[in-house]
Amino acid sequence: MVAIKRILCPIDFSEFSRHALERAAAIARVQGAAITALHVVPIQPRYAPFPLEIDTSAAFELTPAIRESLRSKLMEFATLEPHMPVDPEVSEAFAVPEEILAQASRVRADLIVMGTHGRGGFQRFLLGSVTERVLRTARQPVLTVGAGDSAPSAGSFKQILCGIDFSECSLAALDYALALADDSNARVTAVNVIEWVPLGYDPLIGPPTDLVGYRLSAEASSRDRLHKVIANAKRKDVPVDEIVTSGKPHHELLRLARERGSDVIVLGIHGRNPIDRLFFGSTAEPMVRHAPCPVLTVRARFAANAAAA
């Protein structure tokens, strides 16, 4: 099973974060979890426009009175129902994403639930790239909830789509998806997308001779590999559909999510180096921006721990 005892939900007082809070509350009801609603006030650094100029502007200060006012506003915003208490937390920081991650560690969150503003991707949540930064660097699983989430009051998922590229993180995502499905009697659709690299003329070996045969062989190999991966990871009571397709990964995953009525997409997130950031931008970012349902991103260690719980 997936053990979720504490959910951290960053709040910017927009309808998008309210949508995320509703989803967090629904999950908390099913899991018996507590919720921490976090509002981070960004601190604007003081600096002089020119090296010798003295900056006399007053920096914003989160006084006790302002903090208490924001805390009251947060408590009012996060009022869901009498039996679903939410712990309000107000903090200030120069770097909002880092503060969210620090608070997630402090409260020992098992899941971070964040709203996204949809049409413009990550452009308007808090300071703009906050959601992206948290997704790329969070150690905890992160559930992003967009405007397309039509069932924010649902605490469990029945149709789970999981993208698998056979990397360690995607196999961990499969473990997490299966654990989620085991908790809620859900069906998992495991998808491997082959992205063909254009084959052109090579002066050493000449032009490709049997492109059709090559693709058929690659697809058969991927189907066999996917089947073995699922057989090794599968829980006996969880139905799993296996799909191998080709194209741009995010295009195919989004198409299948819509066709199959998926209510969550589970993806593994790679590490934190520049190459992984490029991967994030080409696959996970458009998934979160256009997905018709929430997207859950996980890392290997947390997925393995949840699956073993």
Side-chain angles (χ1 to χ4, degrees), residues 39-251:
H39 178 67
V40 182
V41 178
I43 301 174
Q44 300 299 327
R46 297 180 63 177
Y47 64 92
F50 301 99
L52 299 180
E53 182 177 335
I54 298 176
D55 180 21
T56 58
S57 61
F60 175 80
E61 181 182 358
L62 190 60
T63 64
I66 295 176
R67 182 185 294 273
E68 186 57 33
S69 175
L70 285 172
R71 189 174 184 276
S72 297
K73 182 180 179 181
L74 185 58
M75 289 180 67
E76 181 180 356
F77 185 90
T79 298
L80 299 165
E81 55 185 76
H83 303 295
M84 180 54 63
V86 176
D87 300 324
E89 183 70 36
V90 176
S91 64
E92 57 184 332
F94 288 107
V96 174
E98 283 70 12
E99 179 63 14
I100 292 174
L101 297 175
Q103 291 288 344
S105 178
R106 185 185 67 80
V107 303
R108 298 184 178 180
D110 303 295
L111 177 68
I112 300 172
V113 179
M114 301 184 72
T116 61
H117 285 229
R119 300 188 192 97
F122 303 106
Q123 65 190 11
R124 286 291 183 268
F125 186 91
L126 296 176
L127 291 183
S129 60
V130 173
T131 306
E132 177 194 0
R133 185 73 175 270
V134 171
L135 277 171
R136 284 195 293 107
T137 56
R139 296 168 62 244
Q140 297 84 357
V142 179
L143 184 74
T144 51
V145 181
D149 182 12
S150 59
S153 60
S156 60
F157 303 107
K158 298 301 181 182
Q159 293 288 341
I160 301 172
L161 184 76
C162 182
I164 300 173
D165 62 4
F166 304 116
S167 63
E168 181 183 0
C169 66
S170 74
L171 298 183
L174 174 63
D175 286 338
Y176 201 98
L178 292 172
L180 278 177
D182 201 19
D183 285 349
S184 55
N185 299 316
R187 174 176 292 273
V188 173
T189 300
V191 183
N192 173 247
V193 182
I194 302 173
E195 186 172 8
W196 300 115
V197 177
L199 298 177
Y201 177 79
D202 188 319
L204 297 178
I205 63 174
T209 56
D210 186 10
L211 185 56
V212 173
Y214 166 77
R215 291 192 171 186
L216 289 174
S217 175
E219 289 171 357
S221 176
S222 290
R223 281 193 294 270
D224 181 63
R225 191 176 180 187
L226 183 62
H227 183 74
K228 290 179 179 177
V229 161
I230 293 171
N232 290 335
K234 187 178 178 182
R235 300 173 180 228
K236 66 177 183 179
D237 296 327
V238 177
V240 180
D241 298 326
E242 305 170 20
I243 296 179
V244 172
T245 184
S246 60
K248 286 288 185 182
H250 66 275
H251 286 162

Side-chain angles (χ1 to χ4, degrees), residues 11-20 77 115 117 124-125:
I11 299 295
D12 66 355
F13 299 115
S14 69
E15 284 303 309
F16 301 98
S17 58
R18 184 180 296 281
H19 213 54
F77 185 90
H117 285 229
R124 286 291 183 268
F125 186 91

